[in-house]
């Protein structure tokens, strides 16, 4: 086993601090009579989705956000789901709406995302939110990439002018991640399944963000000495163990900082969902952000 030199970025601890800031912000809002409210919609019984939805409900309770979960049967039609979203969009009490993905095959996920009121799009997946991100204008930032930026900030490195390599170009992680890194003036390379010589590209990186969904595909010797490694991947091995997209042990012997899986990016996603809900509540109601948010 190679000797570890990297410092571990404790996502659980950072997420707890973000949630504490959100809880203080919610308490301030409640004193003004405003109770931020998040509605989560789950269609079907996908076991992983059920776990995520439960975790989101629990996080709402913890920070004082009113969390409402709509559990719909797998037989729910696209029209029925869109009708629910229309009702939620029009409800003045609802600040954030999130449809847990994936939706069953007979429902078009793009139609679902498009049907959300962008002002309540706390996941930041609506084309309007993504367009605002692209235009460098304030809006809802997707929770996972926003959480990754916070984790990078925890290391104290200044991203300006740094070479950053993002592996993965999905709309929910890779692409918005690249945009957020660009906003911080990093020099960004985005890799995907057709990238040639991935190892060589990753070796140029001072910051690596891996968001692929392939267990431990990023090898230790791809990592440049001193790089910051953010592992978004969540993969379950045959023996039930959870691992990331990066070979954590091997990469730790070269990186300066690295996130673990579990306990790295995962907790940040829900913490930033809570934060986005409070931001949405303030923006939609035209009130100033509470202190510390
Ligand atoms: P997607 O499947 O949507 O995207 C995966 C990306 O990886 C694609 O862009 C794909 O390229 C690229 N890719 C696939 N194979 C390779 C390869 N061999 N070399 C280089 N790139 C490759 O996944 P997501 O972005 O939704 O999620 C990525 C991972 O992050 C998953 O493990 C997911 O579970 C995890 N995740 C974790 C979250 C958290 O909170 N911790 C939140 C969201 C996701 P191409 O576009 O060419 O197909």
């Amino acid at each position: 086993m190679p000797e570890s030199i990297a410092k571990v970025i404790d996502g659980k601890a950072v997420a707890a601090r973000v949630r504490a800031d959100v809880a203080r912000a919610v308490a301030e809002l409640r004193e003004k009579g405003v109770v931020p409210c998040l509605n989560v919609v789950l269609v079907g019984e996908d076991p992983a989705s059920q776990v995520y939805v439960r975790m989101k409900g629990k996080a709402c309770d913890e920070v004082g956000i009113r969390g409402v979960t709509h559990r719909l049967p797998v037989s729910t039609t696209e029209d029925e789901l869109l009708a629910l979203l229309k009702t939620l969009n029009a409800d003045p009490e609802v600040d954030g709406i999130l449809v847990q993905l994936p939706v069953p095959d007979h429902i078009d996920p793009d139609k679902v995302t498009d049907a959300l009121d962008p002002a309540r799009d706390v996941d930041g997946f609506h084309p309007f939110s993504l367009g605002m991100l692209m235009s460098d204008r304030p809006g809802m930032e997707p929770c996972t990439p926003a959480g990754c930026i916070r984790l990078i900030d925890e290391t104290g490195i200044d991203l300006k002018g740094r070479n950053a390599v993002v592996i993965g170009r999905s709309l929910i992680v890779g692409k918005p991640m690249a945009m957020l890194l660009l906003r911080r003036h990093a020099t960004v390379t985005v890799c995907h399944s057709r990238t040639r010589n991935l190892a060589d590209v990753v070796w140029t990186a001072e910051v690596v963000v891996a968001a692929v969904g392939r267990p431990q595909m990023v090898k230790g010797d791809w990592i440049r000495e001193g790089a910051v490694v953010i592992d978004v991947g969540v993969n379950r091995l045959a023996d039930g163990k959870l691992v990331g997209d990066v070979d954590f042990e091997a990469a730790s012997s070269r990186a300066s900082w690295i996130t673990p899986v579990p306990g790295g990016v995962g907790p940040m996603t829900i913490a930033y969902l809570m934060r986005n809900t409070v931001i949405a509540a303030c923006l939609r109601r035209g009130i100033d952000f509470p202190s510390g948010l």
Side-chain angles (χ1 to χ4, degrees), residues 52 125 143-145 148 166-175 190-195 198 210-215 217 222 231-235 243-245 261 264-270:
Y52 289 135
F125 298 163
C143 305
T144 302
C148 291
V166 179
I167 320 173
R169 57 173 165 178
S170 73
L171 218 50
I172 64 172
V173 190
K175 281 181 189 159
V190 182
C191 302
H192 45 78
S193 63
R194 269 76 147 197
T195 298
L198 183 60
V212 179
R214 291 169 73 104
M217 68 164 278
W222 297 12
D231 192 351
V232 183
V234 180
N235 310 288
V243 296
D245 290 344
V261 176
V265 174
M268 297 300 288
T269 299
I270 291 187

Side-chain angles (χ1 to χ4, degrees), residues 127-139:
F128 180 84
S129 307
L130 294 168
M132 293 298 269
L133 180 63
M134 186 83 159
S135 322
D136 252 331
R137 288 156 65 180

Side-chain angles (χ1 to χ4, degrees), residues 41-111:
V41 182
L42 171 63
V43 186
E45 285 168 12
D46 176 65
S49 295
Q50 287 185 333
V51 172
Y52 289 135
V53 165
R54 262 201 307 276
M55 285 162 69
K56 287 167 188 175
K58 211 172 136 231
C60 282
D61 293 345
E62 197 187 297
V63 300
I65 288 174
R66 191 156 75 84
V68 180
T69 304
H70 304 262
R71 289 191 165 79
L72 308 181
V74 69
S75 57
T76 304
T77 65
E78 189 175 273
D79 283 347
E80 285 167 338
L81 176 58
L82 296 181
L84 171 63
L85 297 180
K86 201 170 167 197
T87 307
L88 296 178
N89 282 342
D91 185 339
E93 296 298 315
V94 174
D95 296 299
I97 308 169
L98 174 166
V99 179
Q100 185 66 45
L101 298 175
V103 284
D105 288 346
H106 63 276
I107 297 175
D108 179 348
D110 286 346
K111 276 197 192 162

Side-chain angles (χ1 to χ4, degrees), residues 1-5 220 247-254:
M1 187 93 40
E3 197 189 334
S4 169
I5 57 161
D247 181 342
F248 180 85
E249 296 298 341
S252 294
S253 69
R254 300 174 69 99

